[in-house]
Amino acid sequence: MHTSVAIAALLTANCLLAPSSAQALVQIKTYEIAPRALDAVLYQFAEEAKLSISFSGLDLGETQSFGTSGNISKEASLRSILKDTGLSFRFITTSSVQIFKREQHTVKKTDVSELEVNYERPGYVEDLVVTATKRPETSFGLPASVSGVSSLVLEDLGSYDLQSLSAHLAGVSTTNLGPGRNKIFIRGLSDGPYADRTTTMVGVYLDDTPINFSDTNPDIRLFDVERVELMRGPQGTLYGAGSLGGLYRVISAKPVLNDTFGKARLGVGITKQGGHNGNIDVVFNTPLKTDKLGFRISGYGHMRGGYIDDIARGLENLNDLDIYGIRPSVRWQINNAWVLDTSINLQAIRYDDSQYYFEELGRNNRSLQLSEPYGDNFVHGAVTLKGKMGSLQLTSATSFVDRTLSETFDATEGLPFAERLKNLSEDEYLPGNLIEIGDGHDFLGNAQPGTLGYFTREDINTFGHETRLQSSGGSQFEWLAGFYYLHSTSDSDRLMLAATDGGAPGIILAEKRIERAEDIALFGEASYRVSKKFSVTAGIRYARNTIELDNTSKFVLAEKPQTHEKRKATTKLIPKIAARYQWSEDIQTYAQISMGYREGGFNILSPFEALARPDGISHQSDDFEPVELRSDELLNYEVGLKSYWFNRDLSLNFAAFYIRWLNIQSDQLGYSGLPYITTVGDARNLGFEIEFSARPVSGLEVSGSLFWNDSELQSGNPSLGAEPGDRLPAIPEPTISLAALYQFDVNSNWLATVSATYSFTGDSVLTFSEVNSARMGDYSIVNARLELSNTNWKVGLYAENLTDSRANTFSYGNPFTVSRNNQVTPPRPRTIGVYVERKF
């Protein structure tokens, strides 16, 4: 069914989308860019022409440009800008340009139409222009550990979500509950594997707006994106709370105002001892008014067959996963100086069941009384205005997020008070009608008497705005200053139900929690070029955070309901300083000190009777009044090297860090399996990361990364079994990745691509109690791909988990039985598939 629908959609797209002509480079537009420093001219032209221009590895120094003026094409404008500079340019794609020295590269004489369809990879190692620092700059030129991954590289790696991409980004790891449920960790900074009420460790942005606020990553599909940016280390100065580990940013592809085109991609596959897989991705772009108003829409549907079996219920391949999304966007070029972008992003994730099994029952087998589905509906809207006010540039971005999460857990086994529940009569359960929370309605008539189900639903609504003003690029002194506002509301409901002989379930526990947060901040950053080779950067952020909490819980074994209302407000001052020294056009070093923080919340042991141990001793205290948690704060010391070698055929980046982390907040599970927040203690982490990319021979690319860290608790919470010297959970000490790609001509029309990737994830522990924790990791994954392509078509064969690894990637799936240390989350078994792609 999935496959037939996908084929029909592909054929429909083929009929509806007319082939476009090669016009992008010859479109005429008015440019008025005055003569001045070349780098400043290139920055301005990149903005006005909507191009990504890379000139990394070149020391433009005091090189001057004649600028460009008049109604001319992009190509003619670049010739004017680079006149008498000794530099030339090459269009890699219609929206991406590389600047290089004439003596290093030669560009053959060709017509503009040939340049338009030239999607060959450059004959050197690329360096993307990134904007994660809120200013356009090549990743080479930033005094920070930054990775930029273009859409071309994403396709090469076969990575369409962060979990598959993270293996190839040094220092990035995730948990493995599945898309929409995973936590992101960067540089070995983990607050634990459980996700519930704490603020995120890593900021996730879509373009200029934040999209995650709780622990889990919404996992926006990486289709029809321009690039992905990753910044390692705390980004508190520019991005505020919730970016202790770093920043993960997805830059979506914007409407093109002068061309109509489209693309459709169809794939099918099969998983070993599992179900079938299918996917379809479609994008269409058209100008509504040439050079003034453009429309772009992309959509996707991904169906992954299950591979987990439940022997108690006689079900096979029960963990099917569907992901659907659509992203319409409009760009309005108001005039030469101002542009307005609007977009809506809709995504739905639906699991039929969870993806772990019980080790003692054999590979991919488990035994439960209840399905554990998960749902994630994500809606994001954004309006971004960018323009020039004289020599200054203004960016104003406004957004909203509406996200609804629901999940179910089988709580039949593991509850310490389960025996006491068996003695309850039906009229002793909590009064009230069954509230449909998550899949609670499926509990009616489907569960066997004695089955206990735990159902949660959370609605997250946010409104955010940021306005910033910055100087033009290329000057000796550059600065930016901005205002940030965010208001978020989290409304969560939790139910524990018991299936009874009478048909209507008994309500054991009901909890409602409403948390409102507000963040108001002023921030600024400035860079000063002390000399031709040496520059310093400093920044600061002033933030005021407010949290309001209303929490009510009812528990069948408690004497009365427990209600709490709390409010707190804090202010923070977050500084940053960095220095950069460029030894040559190809080598630079930097040093940085930066800070990050998360706003402290409230630890509510409610309902106390459900969280307490049978002997009456809770994890925290016999006093179950809410405890106000201090903000956790992090100080990062970092040095790094960025370099090119052998005429830019090899890039090699290295960074080393030392981190102090105070008052670590963490989601934890009580003795019963119910969640709460607590403070773990203090920790330090030190380590290094290496990334390289090379072109040893024509047509061959090799890239890789290495990450190593040594984390250690310096003070621990005894109630968690955490001791000084224990490592941080869910973090492997080493991770290694390698990727190789080879391209060659089959004939004058077709190009062949052969690629393979390898990743190794080291051993890690699940909890802060290293001695008593379940262990996981210590595995390798190999993927491979073969592709044939020409100007309009791609046809490919791929294999994922080629060696069919059976490792335990994550030792957690259900909070009520996790203490048995028998839960195994495997990588998806060997999956083989084919795909076809058509450009229009």
Side-chain angles (χ1 to χ4, degrees):
M1 178 63 179
H2 292 322
T3 303
S4 62
V5 171
I7 293 174
L10 180 65
L11 294 176
T12 301
N14 196 12
C15 295
L16 293 178
L17 302 180
S20 63
S21 59
Q23 298 176 341
L25 302 186
V26 295
Q27 290 290 332
I28 304 301
K29 183 178 178 180
T30 301
Y31 300 103
E32 294 294 339
I33 303 177
R36 61 183 188 277
L38 175 58
D39 50 2
V41 170
L42 287 173
Y43 280 126
Q44 182 177 346
F45 180 69
E47 285 291 325
E48 294 188 9
K50 310 306 174 189
L51 291 174
S52 174
I53 301 179
S54 175
F55 50 88
S56 61
L58 299 177
D59 181 8
L60 301 185
E62 304 301 322
T63 304
Q64 297 295 304
S65 169
F66 290 102
T68 185
S69 177
N71 297 315
I72 55 178
S73 68
K74 296 176 183 177
E75 186 181 16
S77 293
L78 281 168
R79 288 198 182 103
S80 173
I81 290 170
L82 298 178
K83 182 180 179 182
D84 297 335
T85 63
L87 303 173
S88 189
F89 66 93
R90 176 186 177 187
F91 277 88
I92 300 169
T93 70
T94 58
S95 60
S96 178
V97 179
Q98 176 69 40
I99 308 297
F100 55 84
K101 284 187 175 180
R102 285 202 182 100
E103 63 267 25
Q104 291 183 352
H105 301 274
T106 57
V107 180
K108 67 177 183 178
K109 296 289 184 179
T110 185
D111 61 39
V112 175
S113 63
E114 287 180 320
L115 285 171
E116 163 68 12
V117 297
N118 180 15
Y119 288 96
E120 288 186 25
R121 310 172 70 84
Y124 39 78
V125 174
E126 280 190 281
D127 182 28
L128 288 182
V129 173
V130 297
T131 53
T133 57
K134 303 185 186 289
R135 289 179 291 184
E137 177 62 90
T138 62
S139 58
F140 177 83
L142 291 173
S145 181
V146 181
S147 293
V149 184
S150 68
S151 58
L152 184 64
V153 175
L154 291 173
E155 290 185 8
D156 291 343
L157 296 173
S159 296
Y160 294 98
D161 56 42
L162 177 60
Q163 188 174 22
S164 59
L165 177 62
S166 64
H168 303 282
L169 296 172
V172 181
S173 58
T174 70
T175 57
N176 190 19
L177 285 172
R181 306 180 73 185
N182 292 328
K183 296 177 68 171
I184 309 172
F185 303 124
I186 298 179
R187 278 200 172 158
L189 298 173
S190 165
D191 63 345
Y194 310 126
D196 188 67
R197 296 169 176 170
T198 56
T199 306
T200 178
M201 284 290 299
V202 174
V204 179
Y205 272 62
L206 181 57
D207 296 317
D208 289 289
T209 60
I211 59 173
N212 76 321
F213 309 94
S214 59
D215 270 328
T216 59
N217 171 28
D219 240 318
I220 297 300
R221 190 76 178 162
L222 300 181
F223 171 72
D224 196 34
V225 301
E226 180 182 324
R227 65 186 183 275
V228 170
E229 299 176 358
L230 178 81
M231 293 196 72
R232 302 176 182 87
Q235 305 299 318
T237 302
L238 290 180
Y239 289 94
S243 58
L244 276 80
L247 180 76
Y248 167 64
R249 188 162 176 252
V250 179
I251 310 300
S252 62
K254 305 300 188 296
V256 177
L257 304 182
N258 53 21
D259 198 6
T260 295
F261 59 87
K263 179 174 72 173
R265 179 186 177 97
L266 169 70
V268 293
I270 180 110
T271 296
K272 180 180 178 181
Q273 297 179 350
H276 294 79
N277 311 301
N279 69 274
I280 181 167
D281 305 290
V282 179
V283 60
F284 172 68
N285 181 97
T286 188
L288 302 178
K289 185 176 181 180
T290 302
D291 290 333
K292 291 293 291 183
L293 191 65
F295 173 74
R296 187 182 190 114
I297 186 168
S298 58
Y300 50 87
H302 287 250
M303 295 68 69
R304 302 180 189 177
Y307 48 87
I308 300 295
D309 301 334
D310 192 306
I311 58 178
R313 294 178 290 151
L315 299 176
E316 295 183 349
N317 304 333
L318 52 83
N319 61 314
D320 287 349
L321 167 63
D322 294 333
I323 304 176
Y324 300 98
I326 187 169
R327 186 187 305 144
S329 59
V330 174
R331 165 165 283 190
W332 177 24
Q333 186 72 50
I334 302 170
N335 53 39
N336 287 339
W338 292 89
V339 63
L340 182 73
D341 284 307
T342 62
S343 64
I344 296 289
N345 302 275
L346 309 174
Q347 180 171 279
I349 300 175
R350 173 70 183 182
Y351 295 89
D352 288 347
D353 217 320
S354 50
Q355 59 184 30
Y356 67 93
Y357 69 88
F358 295 146
E359 187 174 19
E360 68 273 13
L361 296 182
R363 186 185 188 189
N364 297 341
N365 290 322
R366 72 172 185 223
S367 177
L368 294 178
Q369 301 301 312
L370 188 67
S371 296
E372 297 183 328
Y374 171 82
D376 183 347
N377 295 322
F378 176 85
V379 180
H380 167 260
V383 177
T384 303
L385 176 68
K386 294 183 178 182
K388 293 187 177 298
M389 302 171 59
S391 62
L392 305 179
Q393 178 169 310
L394 177 75
T395 300
S396 183
T398 303
S399 67
F400 74 89
V401 171
D402 185 350
R403 188 181 183 194
T404 301
L405 310 172
S406 61
E407 60 185 344
T408 300
F409 294 108
D410 185 346
T412 307
E413 303 289 338
L415 287 174
F417 49 79
E419 289 299 319
R420 297 174 63 190
L421 296 175
K422 293 180 180 178
N423 299 322
L424 295 176
S425 60
E426 291 189 21
D427 59 357
E428 290 181 293
Y429 288 107
L430 294 176
N433 297 322
L434 172 64
I435 304 172
E436 291 192 1
I437 293 179
D439 289 85
H441 59 282
D442 290 337
F443 200 69
L444 288 168
N446 292 330
Q448 296 296 319
T451 301
L452 303 179
Y454 184 63
F455 306 90
T456 72
R457 178 187 177 93
E458 182 177 15
D459 294 312
I460 303 171
N461 294 278
T462 68
F463 172 82
H465 176 81
E466 178 176 303
T467 293
R468 62 182 183 269
L469 196 64
Q470 64 193 67
S471 62
S472 59
S475 61
Q476 185 177 17
F477 178 73
E478 299 179 17
W479 59 268
L480 69 83
F483 166 78
Y484 175 81
Y485 175 80
L486 178 72
H487 183 275
S488 65
T489 301
S490 170
D491 187 341
S492 62
D493 295 282
R494 301 162 192 265
L495 278 180
M496 184 175 289
L497 306 177
T500 65
D501 293 325
I507 302 178
I508 299 168
L509 180 149
E511 182 181 7
K512 187 171 189 65
R513 179 186 177 99
I514 300 177
E515 185 170 320
R516 301 176 184 88
E518 187 175 72
D519 184 356
I520 302 175
L522 298 173
F523 63 89
E525 188 174 275
S527 296
Y528 181 71
R529 189 186 303 165
V530 180
S531 67
K532 185 177 180 180
K533 294 186 175 183
F534 181 64
S535 62
V536 293
T537 300
I540 196 164
R541 186 184 192 95
Y542 171 82
R544 177 177 173 81
N545 303 96
T546 304
I547 295 178
E548 295 179 354
L549 176 66
D550 296 325
N551 192 92
T552 301
S553 63
K554 300 177 181 179
F555 182 50
V556 71
L557 300 179
E559 294 182 0
K560 60 182 180 179
Q562 297 165 15
T563 302
H564 305 285
E565 294 183 5
K566 291 292 178 180
R567 184 183 187 277
K568 64 175 295 188
T570 58
T571 58
K572 294 289 182 183
L573 202 61
I574 307 298
K576 166 190 173 181
I577 188 167
R580 169 178 176 261
Y581 190 86
Q582 187 158 346
W583 300 86
S584 68
E585 292 182 356
D586 296 327
I587 298 176
Q588 76 147 3
T589 53
Y590 71 90
Q592 179 182 200
I593 302 175
S594 57
M595 292 184 64
Y597 76 101
R598 289 189 300 175
E599 181 58 28
F602 297 97
N603 176 24
I604 297 182
L605 294 175
S606 175
F608 172 71
E609 290 82 357
L611 282 162
R613 298 172 62 93
D615 55 13
I617 302 175
S618 82
H619 275 64
Q620 284 288 315
S621 164
D622 289 335
D623 178 9
F624 56 88
E625 282 300 311
V627 176
E628 184 176 310
L629 301 176
R630 296 173 58 190
S631 301
D632 49 358
E633 299 177 345
L634 187 145
L635 185 60
N636 172 72
Y637 303 90
E638 175 181 346
V639 294
L641 165 73
K642 299 183 180 184
S643 62
Y644 292 104
W645 306 87
F646 310 114
N647 292 324
R648 298 191 77 234
D649 283 333
L650 170 66
S651 72
L652 178 64
N653 297 332
F654 169 85
F657 59 87
Y658 177 83
I659 294 172
R660 286 275 291 135
W661 189 6
L662 306 178
N663 306 315
I664 301 171
Q665 297 178 65
S666 177
D667 284 310
Q668 290 295 313
L669 300 176
Y671 189 74
S672 61
L674 297 174
Y676 69 100
I677 308 174
T678 190
T679 298
V680 177
D682 301 338
R684 69 105 177 107
N685 196 19
L686 57 89
F688 64 85
E689 58 223 8
I690 299 173
E691 290 187 320
F692 77 90
S693 183
R695 282 181 171 267
V697 296
S698 177
L700 176 64
E701 286 186 38
V702 181
S703 61
S705 67
L706 168 64
F707 173 73
W708 177 87
N709 74 121
D710 178 25
S711 64
E712 181 179 288
L713 283 176
Q714 297 189 317
S715 64
N717 186 335
S719 68
L720 302 177
E723 300 288 344
D726 285 352
R727 60 198 284 198
L728 295 177
I731 298 297
E733 285 190 353
T735 58
I736 302 170
S737 75
L738 290 170
L741 178 144
Y742 182 65
Q743 291 185 321
F744 59 92
D745 292 323
V746 177
N747 54 38
S748 59
N749 295 317
W750 288 88
L751 179 72
T753 302
V754 181
S755 64
T757 64
Y758 166 85
S759 62
F760 171 76
T761 301
D763 172 82
S764 62
V765 295
L766 183 68
T767 68
F768 284 97
S769 178
E770 185 173 355
V771 174
N772 300 315
S773 174
R775 307 192 79 86
M776 54 195 179
D778 194 21
Y779 64 93
S780 299
I781 297 292
V782 177
N783 301 324
R785 182 171 63 96
L786 172 63
E787 180 181 278
L788 294 174
S789 61
N790 62 18
T791 303
N792 295 320
W793 287 93
K794 286 183 181 179
V795 181
L797 169 69
Y798 69 89
E800 298 173 351
N801 191 8
L802 192 59
T803 60
D804 197 31
S805 170
R806 304 186 180 192
N808 185 4
T809 65
F810 192 42
S811 296
Y812 171 67
N814 182 302
F816 300 102
T817 57
V818 67
S819 60
R820 300 178 181 180
N821 291 349
N822 68 339
Q823 296 178 9
V824 176
T825 305
R828 174 171 286 273
R830 182 189 299 121
T831 298
I832 297 176
V834 296
Y835 61 89
V836 59
E837 180 181 300
R838 173 75 160 92
K839 295 179 180 178
F840 307 94

